[in-house]
Amino acid sequence: MAPSSRPFWTLPAKRLANAATIALLLGMAPLLSGPAAASPARPTPCSSDPTARLTTVPSPDAVLGFPLGAGQERVVTNDEVRTYLGAVDRASNRVVTGVMTTSVLGQPLPYAVVSNERHVRPAALREIADDIRDLRDPRRTSARTAARTAKDSPAIVWVTANVHGGEKSGADAALKTLYELAAGLSCAVAQRNDNLVTIIVPTQNPDGRDATRRQNEFGFDLNRDWFARTQQETDGKLELLRRYPPQVFIDAHEMGGRQYFFPPNADPIHHEIAGEAVDWINRIGEANKAGFGFNGACDETVTTECYFNYDTYDMFFMGYGDTVPTTGFGAAGMTYEKGSASAVADRVQQQFHTQWSTLGWAAANKREVLDGYFDIWTDALAQGRAGTLEPNEVVQPTNEVQFPVPDLTIRSYFLLPDRQLADVRQLVERLRRMDVEVYELQKATRVPTARVFGGRSATNVTVPKGAYWIPMDQPQKHWIQAVMGEDPYVPFPYFYDVSSWSNPLLMGINTIYTGDTVRPRAELVRKVSGGRTGAAWPSGSYTYPLDSAAAAEFTFTLLGRGVPLVRDLTTSRVAIPAATVSRTVDELAKGLGVTLTPGGRPSGTRLDLPDVGLFQGTGISTTSGSHGEARYVLGKRWGLDLTPVTTADINDNTEAFTGRTVLLVPDGSSATGGLTAAGQANLRDWIGRGHTYLGLRNEGTRVARTAGLTSTTEKTKPADYLVIGSHLRVDVDRDSPVALGRPAEDFEFNNSDPILTPSTTGTNVLTYPTGDTFWANGFTVGAETLKGTAAVVDEPTGAGRAVLFAFNPLFRAYNENGLHLVANALLYPATAASDARRPAGVDAARASAAAAPVTPDLGGGWRPITIQVAAADLPRTRAIVERFTTDAQASEKNGSAYVVIPNPQGLQVDEHPFARDLVRALNAAKVPLRSVVG
């Protein structure tokens, strides 16, 4: 649709800017593809002089003491971000500001809303947001009303930056964008403000910005937290997104080098991303090319201060700042990446150019975008009603779809209430907070044909009363499938992150889906269920099943408040004395979805609050990975006091170590944790006195092995082995207290984790099946290697034990079934006497395991970089790889060659010093890549 021909009025310039800004704005003017879209309101008067500005709005130089972009010599601080936002807000009637949330350390995350003065009035802004939200539901919005909104209403564009704290230039550029929109009098500015409401969030991670650290204070990568929204910075942002749903969303980052990336994206793109959004993204890319300036496109001779597309940055995982705005909100969500090796001025100026170009395209095409926005939700409704999934597609011209979406019809999901009910309800709330409609069955219903999560099918399934029904016949069909789907159906084997994030599998809850047309008797869920179901006698109790991560959080919170609890070690039900269940406790249970059932006198084994030591010795990063995840889950959510324990504390047997009842050793890079022989003996003696060692993934299991605490060893991975953040079925040995409350079959998340042989000296709590019940989703190659191996072992020593996880159960705090297992390990019942099977010494099986060669740690806390090519292409692949590193390992199997590049720091591709450039070099040399895993 061509933009309308609404004229601009002109005014003489109020003042002139410096030469650099004059050149910039003159360069921006041709980006507008036509006059502004139509509006019933009188157009904003504007100047033909692109440098004309209001003198009443302070420039960055006036407030900060230096310019932004050209001439800038340092980045802006958090205090300066807030100061400048406030100064512009006070001076401009085009701007209103607010705080969307606070950070872990209590810093505000401010935002600015900027448009013309008519749009930012409170009543008008509410009406605009309401109209946009109405476009998202064609059931209540007619096509005529939608067309009128597209004609009369501005679109909403978000400009966000600095989700990774050390990537700072996007925030500075966002402030420059704010100034131009707030002060500019040119027709280019007027077009943007008349046709757009722009939400500017300069920094999404102020704590990380202060520390020049990618992660937030808990060590979380906030650009992987979007669907789970575990971190308060993410959660507050998503609530503001629901308030002002975007049609275009910029997420400004930095990367290594001196180049710039903006879309078109690399493959894969998730199949449920709407075609309209992909089209907008690609067309915005053309506008960015026109407005980029500097050295233009990168090529063999132009390698710095230039841009590239179709490389590295995909749109697959539903945890990114582009995929979630695109899939969950229907926006053109885009990641922009500027090379951090460039000078500050160049970094900020290039970020500004792409922000300004994007706003120009959105303003010039706003009516078409809003028409298409309504179409996205209309199509989603029709697809959901028919049970149709979107097909897989690729965007890179040289790629082809390798794995199509299967011919499936999905009209409904059902979350069954037979177990892990509190986590079921937490998933319901997660969905509802993304505007998904969920219903609770008031009467049992029959489903003629169903698929059961885990690759099984069933017929004539009776779904009981109390189950939760998620029909696909609703506007959020794309989002439902993207986060609920049993498999994401990757079209092309390139992996920047994980290959599965199915929420029912992460939570280990019983879920079915069907293509049948069903209309059960059900009521829309309007709030979370839980709390007391009736009144208990004063001498009685209330009980609940401790079978979920949410119930574990409830348990630790009560223990922290001094509430006495007992647990039935057969049923896993916990009893609370009725007299202690106050309104506050009842409200806590409701909020977590925990049902409290009246019962008799409390009976069972007493639960004690664990005194946890968190290891931060040799090999452990305290700013990322499972150390931070432990601080968040155990410390913040569960309220446990975590005492730092160092290598020296264990070697010297200090009270910081010996005074704890649990020692948690996170994942890390050391096989010994730096423990001496004396330290290892101290550790065994401490466990033998009735304490619990809890070891996670690489370092957690290897420290235990070298200390003689386990008979497990690591199995060598085959050359073609790829398990890339996938879910697998596991068998559960419920004889161990670690498995209390879990089903006989469960699911666990595996991200190229160490492969453990079964223990011969303890209980293999979780094992991968050996027979035809073995099942994996996501993208795996050679996963059968896991058959019969152990995922969790419970190794007794004296009166204590070592509980070892081959995987990271705390991964991103969204692996709820893993969190529950950790809670069980922390609450392991005390043993009155030593286990006769395992005295405190080291027996032969464990001594043999301790003496086994240590498997090289190729992936650190993440995974190595693996590139698969045809075996015939290995020589030239090796020659290119050797330009970047001499540490690569190569092997061949079944006609393919696998080049594995060690990644001991556990860096992801966008952090890695050369992984992105290596892949681009291979593509430039026309080496066909069969798969890339980073």
Side-chain angles (χ1 to χ4, degrees):
M1 178 186 297
S4 72
S5 56
R6 183 181 73 178
F8 283 107
W9 294 1
T10 60
L11 286 175
K14 291 279 184 80
R15 67 169 176 155
L16 296 179
N18 62 45
T21 307
I22 292 173
L24 165 66
L25 291 178
L26 286 172
M28 293 295 107
L31 289 176
L32 302 179
S33 61
S39 171
R42 191 179 191 188
T44 301
C46 67
S47 170
S48 59
D49 181 355
T51 67
R53 295 188 183 85
L54 292 167
T55 58
T56 53
V57 177
S59 68
D61 204 346
V63 176
L64 306 174
F66 55 88
L68 296 178
Q72 184 177 354
E73 295 184 358
R74 69 166 177 86
V75 293
V76 177
T77 67
N78 279 321
D79 284 343
E80 289 170 335
V81 168
R82 295 188 284 266
T83 297
Y84 190 67
L85 285 177
V88 174
D89 184 7
R90 288 188 296 272
S92 175
N93 60 2
R94 303 177 190 173
V95 176
V96 294
T97 61
V99 174
M100 67 182 187
T101 187
T102 56
S103 70
V104 174
L105 294 180
Q107 296 197 71
L109 274 69
Y111 66 92
V113 181
V114 57
S115 189
N116 67 35
E117 61 273 13
R118 300 185 305 274
H119 293 155
V120 297
R121 293 169 185 160
L125 196 55
R126 283 195 299 270
E127 183 177 0
I128 291 166
D130 288 344
D131 288 345
I132 296 297
R133 282 195 296 270
D134 284 345
L135 291 180
R136 300 180 71 201
D137 194 346
R139 298 169 302 182
R140 68 175 186 235
T141 306
S142 68
R144 176 176 294 180
T145 299
R148 186 169 60 248
T149 297
K151 173 177 174 287
D152 297 345
S153 178
I156 299 176
V157 176
W158 279 57
V159 177
T160 71
N162 204 199
V163 71
H164 293 145
E167 302 172 9
K168 301 181 180 183
S169 60
D172 298 31
L175 296 181
K176 185 175 178 69
T177 297
L178 173 64
Y179 172 64
E180 298 298 341
L181 294 174
L185 293 170
S186 71
C187 294
V189 170
Q191 186 187 40
R192 287 161 172 81
N193 284 337
D194 284 353
N195 288 288
L196 305 175
V197 170
T198 304
I199 314 294
I200 294 177
V201 182
T203 177
Q204 303 170 70
N205 183 5
D207 296 346
R209 186 179 183 91
D210 277 347
T212 313
R213 181 184 63 229
R214 179 184 179 94
Q215 298 82 3
N216 77 343
E217 183 62 22
F218 281 123
F220 277 66
D221 186 331
L222 296 178
N223 201 37
R224 305 295 185 271
D225 188 49
W226 278 75
F227 80 76
R229 53 198 300 182
T230 67
Q231 301 302 291
Q232 60 200 63
E233 296 95 338
T234 312
D235 191 61
K237 175 172 56 187
L238 278 159
E239 286 306 294
L240 193 66
L241 275 160
R242 293 176 70 196
R243 183 176 169 188
Y244 299 113
Q247 287 71 68
V248 175
F249 188 98
I250 296 171
D251 192 21
H253 291 250
E254 289 184 4
M255 60 183 179
R258 295 178 58 192
Q259 298 180 355
Y260 198 106
F261 167 85
F262 51 78
N265 293 93
D267 291 317
I269 289 182
H270 194 279
H271 64 93
E272 287 296 329
I273 289 176
E276 290 90 342
V278 175
D279 177 57
W280 302 338
I281 289 167
N282 293 344
R283 288 164 62 193
I284 290 168
E286 293 304 310
N288 284 336
K289 291 177 184 179
F292 184 77
F294 286 82
N295 292 333
C298 302
D299 58 26
E300 291 182 358
T301 59
V302 178
T303 59
T304 62
E305 312 312 335
C306 53
Y307 67 80
F308 67 92
N309 324 109
Y310 290 122
D311 209 333
T312 306
Y313 301 101
D314 65 291
M315 286 188 70
F316 187 61
F317 170 55
M318 287 296 142
Y320 296 151
D322 51 13
T323 53
V324 174
T326 304
T327 316
F329 293 92
M334 296 169 294
T335 294
Y336 293 172
E337 297 267 358
K338 170 56 194 164
S340 57
S342 296
V344 171
D346 291 340
R347 300 205 310 267
V348 175
Q349 196 69 33
Q350 289 172 29
Q351 296 274 28
F352 172 70
H353 281 192
T354 54
Q355 292 176 18
W356 196 251
S357 300
T358 300
L359 293 174
W361 182 91
N365 295 278
K366 80 93 183 175
R367 187 168 180 176
E368 177 192 351
V369 167
L370 289 178
D371 280 332
Y373 193 69
F374 181 69
D375 291 343
I376 288 173
W377 308 103
T378 303
D379 292 345
L381 268 173
Q383 291 171 13
R385 191 173 299 120
T388 305
L389 303 185
E390 291 268 32
N392 265 336
E393 295 179 352
V394 293
V395 295
Q396 289 178 259
T398 57
N399 289 341
E400 296 180 356
V401 172
Q402 294 192 22
F403 310 107
V405 173
D407 184 15
L408 282 177
T409 300
I410 303 178
R411 289 191 170 94
S412 296
Y413 284 91
F414 289 94
L415 307 177
L416 305 185
D418 55 329
R419 56 181 175 81
Q420 282 76 52
L421 181 57
D423 281 349
V424 170
R425 289 168 172 163
Q426 291 302 302
L427 178 51
V428 168
E429 284 304 288
R430 182 182 291 172
L431 293 168
R432 289 181 64 246
R433 296 184 71 217
M434 281 294 287
D435 304 306
V436 174
E437 295 160 4
V438 183
Y439 298 81
E440 184 175 354
L441 266 62
Q442 304 301 300
K443 182 180 179 181
T445 193
R446 186 178 68 86
V447 176
T449 59
R451 291 178 178 265
V452 183
F453 269 54
R456 292 169 175 161
S457 59
T459 57
N460 293 320
V461 176
T462 297
V463 180
K465 176 183 177 181
Y468 292 95
W469 173 44
I470 306 161
M472 295 285 271
D473 181 9
Q474 59 176 295
Q476 277 290 50
K477 174 261 178 180
H478 294 310
W479 181 249
I480 294 168
Q481 184 60 29
V483 297
M484 289 287 295
E486 185 181 22
D487 197 290
Y489 305 124
V490 62
F492 187 82
Y494 171 88
F495 295 96
Y496 186 8
D497 203 81
V498 300
S499 70
S500 176
W501 53 89
S502 169
N503 280 210
L505 292 173
L506 284 167
M507 291 185 162
I509 58 183
N510 207 358
T511 305
I512 66 170
Y513 54 104
T514 182
D516 298 333
T517 300
V518 294
R519 287 290 180 265
R521 181 181 166 190
E523 291 184 358
L524 182 67
V525 177
R526 300 188 183 277
K527 62 179 180 179
V528 68
S529 301
R532 289 179 286 205
T533 60
W537 291 102
S539 61
S541 66
Y542 290 93
T543 69
Y544 64 90
L546 179 42
D547 66 349
S548 62
E553 184 171 341
F554 182 63
T555 301
F556 287 120
T557 303
L558 294 185
L559 289 173
R561 295 176 180 177
V563 177
L565 303 176
V566 293
R567 186 183 194 184
D568 186 315
L569 299 184
T570 301
T571 65
S572 194
R573 293 192 72 85
V574 174
I576 318 170
T580 66
V581 180
S582 61
R583 178 177 295 182
T584 301
V585 170
D586 188 47
E587 290 299 319
L588 176 65
K590 287 180 182 177
L592 290 168
V594 176
T595 297
L596 303 179
T597 305
R601 291 183 180 276
S603 63
T605 301
R606 189 184 74 189
L607 291 178
D608 293 317
L609 190 69
D611 185 342
V612 182
L614 180 59
F615 186 64
Q616 57 183 47
T618 303
I620 302 295
S621 168
T622 59
T623 60
S624 64
S626 56
H627 185 280
E629 291 156 355
R631 289 191 291 115
Y632 170 69
V633 174
L634 279 66
K636 182 176 174 63
R637 280 175 46 179
W638 293 353
L640 300 178
D641 290 329
L642 303 179
T643 300
V645 176
T646 67
T647 299
D649 287 326
I650 300 175
N651 286 339
D652 298 339
N653 234 18
T654 70
E655 199 277 335
F657 163 55
T658 60
R660 312 283 74 78
T661 61
V662 176
L663 176 67
L664 191 155
V665 179
D667 189 16
S669 60
S670 174
T672 65
L675 299 187
T676 62
Q680 293 172 343
N682 292 339
L683 182 59
R684 290 192 299 271
D685 291 343
W686 173 83
I687 294 172
R689 293 196 296 273
H691 300 136
T692 298
Y693 173 101
L694 184 51
L696 309 186
R697 206 168 179 259
N698 290 312
E699 181 156 350
T701 58
R702 291 168 180 170
V703 169
R705 184 175 300 110
T706 57
L709 298 172
T710 179
S711 56
T712 63
T713 58
E714 286 189 39
K715 189 174 178 179
T716 301
K717 297 172 183 175
D720 60 345
Y721 178 83
L722 294 174
V723 177
I724 308 162
S726 306
H727 284 97
L728 295 99
R729 179 179 285 113
V730 288
D731 292 329
V732 182
D733 186 337
R734 292 185 286 182
D735 287 340
S736 168
V738 177
L740 271 174
R742 299 312 304 176
E745 290 184 335
D746 210 343
F747 301 99
E748 281 305 340
F749 184 81
N750 188 311
N751 189 31
S752 195
D753 302 321
I755 304 175
L756 301 187
T757 60
S759 171
T760 60
T761 56
T763 302
N764 295 295
V765 183
L766 300 186
T767 53
Y768 297 101
T770 56
D772 58 8
T773 60
F774 183 86
W775 176 85
N777 79 340
F779 184 79
T780 65
V781 177
E784 296 79 9
T785 304
L786 290 166
K787 286 185 175 182
T789 64
V792 179
V793 297
D794 177 0
E795 293 273 19
T797 292
R801 78 286 313 156
V803 179
L804 308 180
F805 290 80
F807 59 97
N808 176 12
L810 304 177
F811 183 70
R812 295 177 178 167
Y814 62 44
N815 182 14
E816 281 82 358
N817 50 5
L819 300 186
H820 177 218
L821 292 168
V822 170
N824 280 343
L826 294 172
L827 295 170
Y828 205 107
T831 304
S834 297
D835 189 319
R837 296 175 300 165
R838 295 294 137 205
V842 179
D843 67 10
R846 291 178 175 176
S848 175
V854 176
T855 302
D857 185 10
L858 298 180
W862 186 239
R863 59 193 181 214
I865 296 159
T866 303
I867 297 171
Q868 179 189 4
V869 297
D873 289 323
L874 179 58
R876 59 188 184 128
T877 299
R878 196 195 302 269
I880 294 170
V881 169
E882 287 176 352
R883 287 165 23 198
F884 296 88
T885 178
T886 58
D887 295 332
Q889 304 172 11
S891 58
E892 297 182 33
K893 187 173 182 179
N894 299 328
S896 284
Y898 298 86
V899 180
V900 178
I901 299 168
N903 183 21
Q905 292 180 286
L907 300 177
Q908 297 196 358
V909 171
D910 57 336
E911 301 175 272
H912 198 275
F914 63 79
R916 182 187 68 257
D917 294 335
L918 169 58
V919 172
R920 291 178 65 194
L922 290 167
N923 285 329
K926 301 189 183 308
V927 177
L929 303 180
R930 294 185 172 180
S931 68
V932 177
V933 176

